[in-house]
Structure formats: structure tokens, C-alpha cells
């Protein structure tokens, strides 16, 4: 029960003070659950990010559900998911009451421009940490280089290519590598 309560308060705090969605939240989740509380290993955290990204739904909610379930089962998943959603729900509800007047405030517009810079930093920081913790196998290097080349190429050519395709292609490459390794082991045996 104590861990469930900790999960709730941690995700409530993260949900309340993270701007920019689930990707911006990844760096905070890693620090909180891998480095500070040590409830997840770095490998488990990378698995969580991969699963949260590749399953339907917001990354923040998927991450909270995964971490909560991994640590405290269904009760932890429910507490974590509720906690991460609650701040956004309250803020959006309050904003909706005064939405038109809210957007006209120059201070609000300036605050959002400042927050955008912070969100870019948080996303870049999370990506760099994940990249550093990725094992340096030839396969991983090829996948990273291929994805970067495809993203840059699609951006320069102004081709709209959903990130879902990158995820599916990388997943298929991983399955193919697994099957090739399994086939080689069978041939040696």
C-alpha cells in the first residue's frame, strides 16, 4: 500500500509539473524511478519507453500504467494512471471555463513560448540519455543510423511519414534479427 501511495504522489507531481506531454516526462520518470527510487533498472526503463511508445494511447498514460503495474500490479497501475491524468484534467477544465479570455493574455502567450523551449530540452535530454544507455551493437547502430537518415530525408523532402512507421520498421528489424539468431543456433546444434 505504501508503494501505491508513493506511485500516486510521484505521478501526481510529475503530471502536474511536466509540460509537453509524455516525451517531456521521460527524463523525469527515469530520474525518479531508475536513479532516485531504483524501482526499475535501466533496461526495464528502456523497455517501458518502447512499450509506451508502441501501444495506442498517450505516452504519459502508457508509461504510468506500465510503471504502476510493474511495481504494484493492478492497484499500482490504476493509482499511477489516475495520478498522471488528474492534473491535466483539472487544468484543462479550469482553462475551458475562461478559455477565450485566457488566450488573450500576453503573459500566457509569453509563458507558452518559454515552456516550448523547456519542452524541446526535456525531449532532447531524454533521447540523449536513452541513446547513451543503448548497447553499442552493430545492429543498434544500424537501426539508429537508418532511422535518423529516414527522418532527415523525409524532413528535407517534405514527405509526411508517420513515426508509427519508424516504430513498426524497427520492431520488424528486431524480430528479423531475433529469428536470424535463432536460425543460426539451430543450424549449429
Amino acid at each position: 500500500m505504501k508503494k501505491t501511495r508513493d506511485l500516486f504522489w510521484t505521478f501526481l507531481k510529475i503530471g502536474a509539473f511536466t509540460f509537453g506531454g509524455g516525451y517531456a516526462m521521460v527524463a523525469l520518470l527515469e530520474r525518479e524511478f531508475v536513479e532516485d527510487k531504483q524501482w526499475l533498472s535501466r533496461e526495464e526503463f528502456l523497455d517501458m519507453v518502447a512499450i509506451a511508445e508502441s501501444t495506442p494511447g498517450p505516452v504519459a498514460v502508457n508509461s504510468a500504467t506500465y510503471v504502476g503495474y510493474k511495481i504494484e500490479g493492478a492497484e499500482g497501475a490504476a493509482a499511477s494512471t489516475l495520478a498522471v491524468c488528474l492534473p491535466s484534467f483539472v487544468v484543462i477544465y479550469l482553462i475551458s471555463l475562461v478559455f477565450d479570455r485566457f488566450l488573450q493574455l500576453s503573459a500566457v502567450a509569453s509563458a507558452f513560448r518559454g515552456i516550448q523551449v523547456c519542452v524541446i530540452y526535456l525531449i532532447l535530454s531524454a533521447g540523449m540519455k536513452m541513446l547513451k544507455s543503448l548497447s553499442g551493437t552493430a545492429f543498434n547502430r544500424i537501426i539508429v543510423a537508418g532511422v535518423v537518415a529516414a527522418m532527415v530525408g523525409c524532413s528535407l523532402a517534405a514527405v509526411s511519414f508517420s513515426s508509427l512507421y519508424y516504430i513498426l520498421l524497427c520492431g520488424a528489424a528486431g524480430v528479423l534479427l531475433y529469428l536470424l539468431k535463432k536460425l543460426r543456433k539451430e543450424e549449429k546444434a
Side-chain angles (χ1 to χ4, degrees):
M1 185 67 174
K2 177 163 178 7
K3 278 191 179 178
T4 302
R5 190 173 26 254
D6 278 352
L7 282 166
F8 181 85
W9 288 113
T10 301
F11 274 105
L12 186 69
K13 175 182 68 174
I14 289 172
F17 296 105
T18 302
F19 296 94
Y23 296 112
M25 188 180 287
V26 170
L28 297 173
L29 291 174
E30 182 178 22
R31 186 176 64 237
E32 192 71 37
F33 293 108
V34 175
E35 295 169 12
D36 293 348
K37 289 184 169 59
Q38 297 180 348
W39 287 353
L40 296 174
S41 68
R42 192 153 314 278
E43 292 77 28
E44 289 173 319
F45 182 78
L46 290 173
D47 289 344
M48 180 273 304
V49 172
I51 290 169
E53 173 62 36
S54 32
T55 52
V59 173
V61 174
N62 292 346
S63 298
T65 305
Y66 179 92
V67 170
Y69 188 80
K70 181 85 174 153
I71 294 169
E72 278 293 291
E75 187 178 321
S80 299
T81 304
L82 174 66
V84 83
C85 293
L86 199 57
S88 298
F89 175 78
V90 170
V91 168
I92 295 300
Y93 176 73
L94 293 174
I95 289 172
S96 73
L97 297 175
V98 292
F99 188 69
D100 291 333
R101 288 181 286 173
F102 183 75
L103 288 179
Q104 293 173 356
L105 297 173
S106 61
V108 170
S110 296
F112 279 122
R113 281 194 297 276
I115 289 170
Q116 286 172 347
V117 173
C118 182
V119 168
I120 291 168
Y121 165 76
L122 288 172
I123 292 170
L124 185 60
S125 171
M128 294 305 290
K129 278 186 177 181
M130 289 173 59
L131 191 59
K132 286 179 184 176
S133 63
L134 191 63
S135 61
T137 65
F139 176 74
N140 287 343
R141 288 183 182 141
I142 290 169
I143 290 293
V144 169
V147 169
V148 168
M151 291 172 72
V152 169
C154 288
S155 295
L156 292 175
V159 174
S160 179
F161 195 74
S162 173
S163 58
L164 176 64
Y165 296 120
Y166 295 118
I167 294 167
L168 292 174
L169 288 172
C170 292
V175 169
L176 181 63
L177 179 68
Y178 168 78
L179 293 174
L180 289 173
K181 284 181 178 179
K182 187 176 177 182
L183 186 63
R184 284 185 186 162
K185 284 182 183 177
E186 290 175 2
E187 287 177 357
K188 288 180 181 178

